[in-house]
Amino acid sequence: MPYRAPVSEFRFVLDQVVGMDQVAATELFAEATPETVEAILSEAGKLCETVLAPLNRAGDLTPAKLENGVVRTSPGFAEGYRAITEGGWVGMAASPEHGGMGLPMSLTTAVNEMIGSACLSLQLNPLMTQGQIEALEHHASDAIKELYIPKLISGEWCGTMNLTEAGAGSDVGALRTKAERNGDGTYAVTGQKIFITWGDNDFAGNICHLVLARLPDGAPGTRGISLFMVPKFIPDESGNPGKRNSLGVVSLEHKLGLHGSPTAVMQYDGATGWLIGEEHKGMAAMFTMMNNARLGVGMQGVAIAEAAFQHALTYATDRKQGKTPLGATAIVDHADVRRMLGQMKAETFAARAIALACAVAIDMGRATGSADWQARAALLTPIAKAYGTDMGNEVAYLGVQVHGGMGFIEETGAAQFSRDARVTSIYEGTNGIQAMDLVGRKMMDGGAAAYRLLQEIEDHASEARATLPDLAGDVWAAAEALREATEWLVAQEANDRNAGAVPYLRAFARVLGGHYHLKAALADASRQPLAAFAIKRLMPEHSALIAQMREGAAGLYALTPEALAS
Ligand SMILES: Cc1cc2nc3c(=O)[nH]c(=O)nc-3n(C[C@H](O)[C@H](O)[C@H](O)COP(=O)(O)OP(=O)(O)OC[C@H]3O[C@@H](n4cnc5c(N)ncnc54)[C@H](O)[C@@H]3O)c2cc1C
């Protein structure tokens, strides 16, 4: 079933729901006029529908493979990559100083969703590069910026991020990769990294690895880590790929999904690297890349959800089975199938709105320097990542269910969405780690950023009472319940917060979802049925989630390993 880029939906969410007009009103993003946004979304949409979507199945059936130390990518991926780079889509948000388009993150995030819906395993490649460009823009020396960023933007070279090791996953601070000063300003990096997305390919002139490693005098834990640029080919005096660096791909993983994306074990043997940022301050630099990637991965969840929904709706409209109360025979008219499709659409809308609201906050933080906008972006990032990817999984799961037995058969493509979505809740910081970030670092302000957002939701709901009293009343009450839950949360000690982190994050997303659906229903009356579905059937879950959150840690630890095993 062909993918249809939801261009008008993006326009609606950006214009009517998440306040993109504020971004376009800033001096920095003055070029992002409605006409430019429309033109960019339409152009990217065409590429996704015609060039990238047809690659998705090929990537699944013919995974990337390692041949004599070189990664051979899936059929058509090189051409697909070239089309992405020729369109300038890698450097959309990058600074014009180095050849980027300087467009807002809100627009880049929308385009990334479409590329991810079309072919998620290929989209991971430019996503990693985009994160690397941002990290270099903020933390690299001028010489590194001038050499690397233009080539990354043009797509001539690709970027990767290397954090994970066998003994250092969620606990990055446990890493053992070493770096030593060579005495000439460069460093020798030695160690093994695992699970490195697009660790190599056969279509870029160079692969630029950003690698976390510890110098001999680096303190234990995350405080003693430094970040290095370690290219596959060491640039020569003219900046062209020169001598081969001492690094390589040891093996590629056999994965549940995302077969077109090579996930590599990388070995560094005294490989030459250049410091990014300051010694021992690598985590700060890597966080720039990770925050970018967290929003990007959240949008990957939305991307899968949109594609899975389109598939399921088409199938449900064609498939005839039994008699329905509406007299017709297509399964879309069975109440339970309608419920599943309604849930898929409502969740996709909410997850997209949350991710785009986060992107708008990033843009506003950059354009105005406002600490409040920056805090809003920081607060929304873990929610956008965790809820977006959980919804990618749940919507893809429902997509299989709508297909019945055919959902379990690979030809329909419904199963691939489910397999591809699974890892999005795991990589880029598991969703449990995202939730702990929300209740920990993001509440270090005592909940101030959360309260500001909840106040806006309540104010909007109060205004909306005049038009949609029932729905607005529910949203107001849910926001108030979340405010009380937040007051309780910030008064708890760390492990009690952590024990309730996942339900709290989901409750927050439920309230945000209700809010954005209410906004949509006010802007366009034809959206009221979907808003009512979300507010009456999905949002009430927040009460049960808050009750779970309030249970704290003690009850969890009462489930001893012995009790679990008995
Ligand atoms: C396909 C794929 C691509 C990837 N790409 C990259 C990449 O490009 N670069 C890169 O560096 N890494 C990459 N990763 C690694 C990925 O980011 C890690 O797998 C992820 O961060 C989790 O680490 P882990 O696998 O070691 O799991 P663990 O850290 O062992 O976690 C196992 C479980 O324990 C939980 N847990 C762990 N610590 C805590 C804690 N403190 N509190 C509560 N719960 C906890 C986790 O939430 C999880 O449920 C990739 C992984 C995959 C599978």
Side-chain angles (χ1 to χ4, degrees), residues 181-207:
R181 299 174 185 92
N182 285 333
D184 60 358
T186 66
Y187 295 77
V189 176
T190 303
Q192 192 170 85
K193 297 285 179 180
I194 65 166
F195 294 157
I196 304 310
T197 294
W198 281 98
D200 193 28
N201 68 58
D202 53 5
F203 48 68
N206 207 351
I207 318 285

Side-chain angles (χ1 to χ4, degrees), residues 431-432 434-440 443 482 485-486 488-489 492-508 542 544-557:
N431 286 358
Q434 302 299 323
M436 286 163 57
D437 178 47
L438 176 66
V439 302
M443 295 285 162
L482 189 62
T486 307
W488 179 88
L489 183 87
Q492 308 308 306
E493 58 91 17
N495 212 30
D496 282 316
R497 289 189 193 197
N498 288 341
V502 165
Y504 177 76
L505 184 147
R506 177 66 74 96
F508 213 128
H542 76 275
L545 290 162
I546 289 171
Q548 245 190 83
M549 175 205 77
R550 286 180 187 270
E551 283 298 306
L556 296 178
Y557 287 100

Side-chain angles (χ1 to χ4, degrees), residues 300-314:
Q300 288 190 327
V302 186
I304 286 282
E306 174 65 37
F309 170 70
Q310 289 188 14
H311 249 71
L313 181 60
T314 302

Side-chain angles (χ1 to χ4, degrees), residues 161 163-164 169-170 195-197 255 423 426-428 430 436:
M161 58 194 283
L163 292 83
T164 307
S170 300
F195 294 157
I196 304 310
T197 294
K255 308 195 294 294
V423 74
I426 295 170
Y427 62 27
E428 218 31 69
T430 64
M436 286 163 57

Side-chain angles (χ1 to χ4, degrees), residues 434-457:
Q434 302 299 323
M436 286 163 57
D437 178 47
L438 176 66
V439 302
R441 279 164 56 92
K442 305 301 163 63
M443 295 285 162
M444 275 159 68
D445 60 358
Y451 297 139
R452 274 197 301 276
L453 180 52
L454 291 172
Q455 191 59 50
E456 275 177 35
I457 295 175

Side-chain angles (χ1 to χ4, degrees), residues 128-407:
M128 294 291 108
T129 304
Q130 286 172 346
Q132 182 168 117
I133 291 168
E134 197 181 341
L136 296 183
E137 281 178 344
H138 283 87
H139 303 283
S141 67
D142 287 345
I144 295 270
K145 280 185 198 168
E146 275 157 33
L147 173 59
Y148 286 86
I149 297 180
K151 292 188 162 65
L152 291 166
I153 287 175
S154 69
E156 204 180 328
W157 295 359
C158 290
T160 72
M161 58 194 283
N162 290 234
L163 292 83
T164 307
E165 299 177 10
S170 300
D171 182 10
V172 179
L175 66 77
R176 298 176 62 177
T177 297
K178 287 189 239 155
E180 284 177 293
R181 299 174 185 92
N182 285 333
D184 60 358
T186 66
Y187 295 77
V189 176
T190 303
Q192 192 170 85
K193 297 285 179 180
I194 65 166
F195 294 157
I196 304 310
T197 294
W198 281 98
D200 193 28
N201 68 58
D202 53 5
F203 48 68
N206 207 351
I207 318 285
C208 309
H209 303 284
L210 276 188
V211 184
L212 283 179
R214 201 184 308 278
L215 286 159
D217 52 350
T222 48
R223 278 179 305 125
I225 298 177
S226 307
L227 182 64
F228 301 91
M229 167 61 79
V230 189
K232 175 176 170 183
F233 296 103
I234 297 175
D236 64 19
E237 277 157 20
S238 327
N240 296 317
K243 200 178 119 209
R244 176 78 205 229
N245 210 344
S246 34
L247 62 91
V249 177
V250 176
S251 59
L252 296 185
E253 304 295 350
H254 299 281
K255 308 195 294 294
L256 175 68
L258 290 182
H259 293 157
S261 164
T263 305
V265 175
M266 300 293 306
Q267 182 67 38
Y268 297 88
D269 293 315
T272 304
W274 284 262
L275 184 70
I276 304 298
E278 291 175 47
E279 287 189 350
H280 316 309
K281 301 246 170 85
M283 278 313 285
M286 194 53 126
F287 256 115
T288 308
M289 183 160 182
M290 280 157 59
N291 273 331
N292 180 311
R294 281 179 179 178
L295 173 59
V297 171
M299 211 48 168
Q300 288 190 327
V302 186
I304 286 282
E306 174 65 37
F309 170 70
Q310 289 188 14
H311 249 71
L313 181 60
T314 302
Y315 185 81
T317 321
D318 289 347
R319 169 75 174 159
K320 295 181 175 40
Q321 201 64 195
K323 284 219 167 59
T324 78
L326 304 184
T329 50
I331 59 170
V332 68
D333 287 336
H334 290 300
D336 188 54
V337 176
R338 219 36 102 78
R339 174 191 64 79
M340 291 191 277
L341 291 165
Q343 186 168 343
M344 293 169 82
K345 189 162 177 80
E347 300 283 30
T348 305
F349 171 88
R352 179 182 287 131
I354 292 171
L356 291 176
C358 180
V360 163
I362 292 171
D363 291 332
M364 293 304 290
R366 274 191 62 205
T368 65
S370 145
D372 281 2
W373 275 116
Q374 287 163 2
R376 170 74 52 90
L379 179 80
L380 288 178
T381 298
I383 304 176
K385 194 280 176 180
Y387 178 66
T389 55
D390 280 350
M391 286 314 112
N393 277 288
E394 289 178 28
V395 170
Y397 172 93
L398 284 171
V400 172
Q401 198 69 17
V402 167
H403 281 77
M406 284 311 288

